[in-house]
Amino acid sequence: MQMIDRDIEVFGQSGLAEKAMFNRSQKLAPSGVDYPQKMGYSAVISQRESHRQIMTGYILCILLYVCTVSCENNDSGEVKIEHDPNRRVTLTSFYPAEGRTAERLLLDGDNFGSDPEKIKVYVNQKRASVVSANGRRIFAICPRMAGGDGEHLEVAVVVGRDSVIYDDRFLYNVSVSVTTIAGNGAPEFRAGTLAESSLRPFYVSVDDEDNVFVSIREGDYYGIARINENENIVTPLIMHSTNAVIRPNALCVDRKTGIYYVPCESASTAFYTLDPRDGWAPRRRLWTWRNLNGFSLPANATWKHSFGFCELDGYIYTRFFDGQVVKIHPRTFEADIIAMTPNGTCCGVTFHPLKPELLYMVGRSQGMSGGIYVIDVRYPDEPYRRLNPTGTGHRDGDISTALFRDPWQIYFDPEDGSLYVADASNHCIRRVRPDNFVETFLGMPGTSGWADGGKNEALFNEPRGITVSKDGFVYVADYGNNRIRKLSIE
């Protein structure tokens, strides 16, 4: 067992540091006891017997005090055991030695106390749910996406000011299953049940009620459809046979209100709103320019390919082909240009859920080609950053060396901050983990196909849209296969 002798930082799922510290020298002296000068018993009791009775009474008092303080009954009659701040927390072992998301963990040791609210357990610095404790054993649940498949993860326990790390590591396993929830391979749009439906999806988004919204924009079908697995339905919200009315791009949602915002290319400042209070009836909006901040208006005026909603300031953000980064007020429909980036197609913009000031953008062509960019919208005058090298291809590893080929929509896991990328021309789903390691999460690089199943079986064909639900399900607009796919990660 590794005992931490100094301040350490153990990070919870919010990404904020919680400090814990050992104080090896802290030790309270026992409370003083005034011994009686006279026993008050009959003189026939010997001096030795009187001393024995004093010590016996003293010990009984101490035991009674300890039992009273550390073993109280709660309302259900269970014994409540207090953590002793004057003794170190010790760890011995945990079970099982390996597992996956939601695995039940039994952690053995001593001086935990029995109040789950006062105990913190971390797996790879990610907070686990503590169900119960009895002083010497903790029952906890392994958090979702604690690490990569096959990684050996650190397990730590924090109680009061004590923080301890097990010597052994927990072998983390990731299980992924891919299913098709809508579409049968035909590109024509057809509403109905999930099994009856057909569509050719470009972009996708999901709200907190598990309504999946899809942008369709090719052939004789231009519009937006809603998919709901519980209702077993695919239904159009707006659908036209030409792009003269609507040519929708990557939509975003305000998770607090459930309102969707959909960029479209029918006019420079045109977009649609879908409000659940109106049954998601599409309403066409036009924004007005307020502050250009010295930047020119977009020459390719209609090419805004993605919206992202910022929970920090409540604005909608987009980026034009010419490089302008724009923020739009969701009620007054006034817009400001806040920054310039390289020109090129950008089919994905999204905000980091744990760092909501950071806007991430992904490029497909020209100066943006194959790049993942980030800008702090609080300080737009500061330079944006490209996180990976110039060039395209397929290469996993640290993001500073990773390559993508034709990445489209991007979206963060709202809980752990992993960034999912629809890497279309590689026919893969890529993931940028919180430690900035890029991995091919699903699919076979360079090989297109359609197959459901696990990590070793699933195949995609030009996946273009991607989003993540509040529960961690990943939805993919598998453009080349004319299907909506669902990734269940455990």
Side-chain angles (χ1 to χ4, degrees), residues 150-316:
E151 285 192 51
H152 290 82
L153 308 181
E154 185 177 88
V155 180
V157 176
V158 178
V159 186
R161 295 172 62 85
D162 289 2
S163 177
V164 193
I165 301 172
Y166 281 97
D167 287 335
D168 293 333
R169 296 294 183 262
F170 179 71
L171 177 59
Y172 188 71
N173 300 315
V174 177
S175 173
V176 184
S177 61
V178 180
T179 56
T180 297
I181 65 168
N184 58 17
E188 299 80 16
F189 178 77
R190 181 183 180 186
T193 66
L194 299 178
E196 296 169 345
S197 67
S198 63
L199 74 172
R200 188 158 207 182
F202 264 72
Y203 303 101
V204 66
S205 184
V206 61
D207 64 16
D208 284 351
E209 303 301 321
D210 296 327
N211 293 295
V212 178
F213 292 83
V214 182
S215 293
I216 299 167
R217 40 165 290 164
E218 194 171 86
D220 295 329
Y221 304 94
Y222 294 84
I224 303 163
R226 181 178 73 93
I227 300 173
N228 189 288
E229 289 185 88
N230 294 327
E231 298 175 17
N232 189 27
I233 191 171
V234 177
T235 184
L237 300 178
I238 180 173
M239 197 65 64
H240 291 269
S241 59
T242 72
N243 63 8
V245 177
I246 183 173
R247 192 178 186 186
N249 283 315
L251 59 173
C252 72
V253 63
D254 177 353
R255 292 190 176 275
K256 291 182 180 179
T257 64
I259 299 175
Y260 269 91
Y261 301 91
V262 188
C264 63
E265 298 178 22
S266 56
S268 173
T269 63
F271 67 103
Y272 281 79
T273 59
L274 312 172
D275 192 328
R277 295 171 297 183
D278 298 331
W280 301 287
R283 297 183 181 275
R284 190 172 187 265
R285 312 289 189 179
L286 293 172
W287 78 67
T288 57
W289 293 108
R290 183 176 60 177
N291 296 318
L292 301 184
N293 293 313
F295 301 111
S296 60
L297 289 173
N300 295 285
T302 64
W303 292 358
K304 49 188 186 299
H305 296 102
S306 181
F307 272 179
F309 188 85
C310 179
E311 295 185 359
L312 187 67
D313 59 18
Y315 277 77
I316 308 153

Side-chain angles (χ1 to χ4, degrees), residues 326-401:
V326 177
K327 71 175 185 179
I328 308 156
H329 195 286
R331 292 180 297 277
T332 65
F333 307 136
E334 294 176 313
D336 303 332
I337 300 177
I338 66 166
M340 282 292 295
T341 58
N343 68 341
T345 305
C346 172
C347 291
V349 300
T350 192
F351 280 89
H352 197 300
L354 308 180
K355 301 173 184 177
E357 70 279 4
L358 297 183
L359 174 65
Y360 283 71
M361 304 170 285
V362 65
R364 288 185 47 235
S365 69
Q366 299 192 33
M368 293 276 288
S369 184
I372 295 181
Y373 295 79
V374 63
I375 186 172
D376 189 330
V377 298
R378 299 172 303 175
Y379 312 108
D381 293 336
E382 296 184 1
Y384 61 87
R385 292 180 294 133
R386 179 166 176 149
L387 302 181
N388 63 319
T390 57
T392 62
H394 180 277
R395 184 164 63 213
D396 289 337
D398 188 84
I399 196 169
S400 62
T401 63

Side-chain angles (χ1 to χ4, degrees), residues 10-52:
V10 180
F11 293 87
Q13 65 182 16
S14 66
L16 300 177
E18 298 188 47
K19 289 191 175 180
M21 180 181 68
F22 270 135
N23 188 340
R24 293 182 183 273
S25 61
Q26 183 179 4
K27 202 169 189 178
L28 298 180
S31 302
V33 177
D34 293 329
Y35 286 86
Q37 297 299 315
K38 295 183 179 180
M39 298 297 295
Y41 290 112
S42 172
V44 298
I45 301 178
S46 66
Q47 183 75 12
R48 179 176 297 176
E49 181 66 15
S50 66
H51 285 171
R52 186 187 64 79

Side-chain angles (χ1 to χ4, degrees), residues 10-12 17-20 89 91 107 112 115-123 126-130 138 140 155-164 166:
V10 180
F11 293 87
E18 298 188 47
K19 289 191 175 180
V89 170
L91 305 180
L107 297 90
F112 297 142
D115 188 347
E117 295 183 0
K118 296 180 180 180
I119 301 170
K120 298 182 180 72
V121 173
Y122 296 91
V123 179
K126 189 168 184 182
R127 184 83 173 265
S129 175
V130 176
I138 300 169
V155 180
V157 176
V158 178
V159 186
R161 295 172 62 85
D162 289 2
S163 177
V164 193
Y166 281 97

